[in-house]
Amino acid sequence: FWVPELARASEGIIVPSQVNYVGKGANLYKDSDYKLHGSAVVTSRLLGTTWLWDRVRVSGGAYGGFCSFDVRSGDFKYLSYRDPNLTKTIDNYDGTPDFLRDLEVNADMLAKSVIGTMGDVDKHQLPDAKGYTALMRHLLGETDEMRQELRDQILSTTGDDMRRFAGALEAVRSGPVCVVGGEEAVRGASESLGLSLKSPLAAAAGGTAQAT
């Protein structure tokens, strides 16, 4: 699989806003010894409808909170939007591995997650999307056999598979953070999160993009 070489840095982007957009991530292929298994896609979907939904949206008051795992690159990301919190949301992200280890998965929960995941994997596409998907598969060398293996792993996902994914997510705890939000919130969290501050709108108005 393709693994991009990108700089790792935590960044705070200051904008005139009363809410925040909080992201944190890591590359599971490079930052841990994780080997791809289709159950990771199911687990990521489950996290978005349970732990992150409850902690970031319901309890935290954000408009949305979810996670994303790119099976091609290995990038795993937590994201929130229109979020009144910042460091509290990061704490919730970091609590995900512990949540998974203690997770009791019932048959209904597992079935809904698997069905939803398969709906994403084999979703209907218009002709232009089909062409783009075929191009990407050709460039990345993805075969029908590889895709079928992933489907089989998704369909056979168990609660134990989900709990094992917690080990891979430990790598995200030390991953970089990117926050877009109001000045007070971002500056208040900059030292504890090690954020490099930027203010692009100030630069556009004739100031400097590098906030001090």
Side-chain angles (χ1 to χ4, degrees):
F1 290 104
W2 171 64
V3 179
E5 295 294 332
L6 300 174
R8 294 167 56 96
S10 291
E11 190 172 52
I13 301 172
I14 297 172
V15 297
S17 174
Q18 295 181 332
V19 291
N20 308 300
Y21 301 78
V22 184
K24 185 172 187 177
N27 188 288
L28 302 188
Y29 299 158
K30 296 176 65 176
D31 300 331
S32 73
D33 58 358
Y34 180 71
K35 303 300 181 185
L36 176 63
H37 190 275
S39 60
V41 189
V42 184
T43 307
S44 298
R45 183 179 181 85
L46 176 77
L47 289 172
T49 58
T50 55
W51 173 254
L52 296 174
W53 174 276
D54 293 338
R55 292 304 181 101
V56 177
R57 179 164 184 170
V58 177
S59 299
Y63 191 78
F66 57 97
C67 62
S68 172
F69 178 53
D70 187 334
V71 299
R72 289 170 172 159
S73 69
D75 284 340
F76 183 93
K77 300 174 286 289
Y78 298 110
L79 297 163
S80 75
Y81 57 99
R82 295 186 64 181
D83 190 345
N85 301 299
L86 201 163
T87 55
K88 181 180 177 182
T89 296
I90 297 294
D91 290 341
N92 285 324
Y93 294 164
D94 291 344
T96 303
D98 294 332
F99 166 77
L100 278 180
R101 289 191 183 95
D102 297 334
L103 181 65
E104 293 296 330
V105 185
N106 59 47
D108 182 63
M109 182 188 302
L110 182 59
K112 288 179 178 178
S113 298
V114 169
I115 291 170
T117 302
M118 288 305 300
D120 293 335
V121 170
D122 289 332
K123 63 185 176 184
H124 173 72
Q125 292 184 319
L126 295 175
D128 60 333
K130 288 181 179 179
Y132 176 77
T133 299
L135 173 64
M136 292 301 297
R137 289 172 178 170
H138 172 73
L139 294 175
L140 295 171
E142 291 183 3
T143 65
D144 290 343
E145 291 75 19
M146 293 166 62
R147 297 201 304 276
Q148 186 58 51
E149 181 181 12
L150 188 69
R151 288 190 186 92
D152 292 341
Q153 292 171 349
I154 289 171
L155 291 169
S156 62
T157 296
T158 67
D160 287 338
D161 291 327
M162 292 181 167
R163 286 184 283 272
R164 277 193 292 269
F165 193 54
L169 293 186
E170 288 289 351
V172 189
R173 284 182 170 175
S174 57
V177 173
C178 183
V179 179
V180 178
E183 183 167 3
E184 182 179 354
V186 174
R187 287 192 183 277
S190 62
E191 184 174 352
S192 63
L193 297 177
L195 301 178
S196 171
L197 300 183
K198 293 180 173 60
S199 183
L201 295 184
T208 176
Q210 192 70 33
T212 57

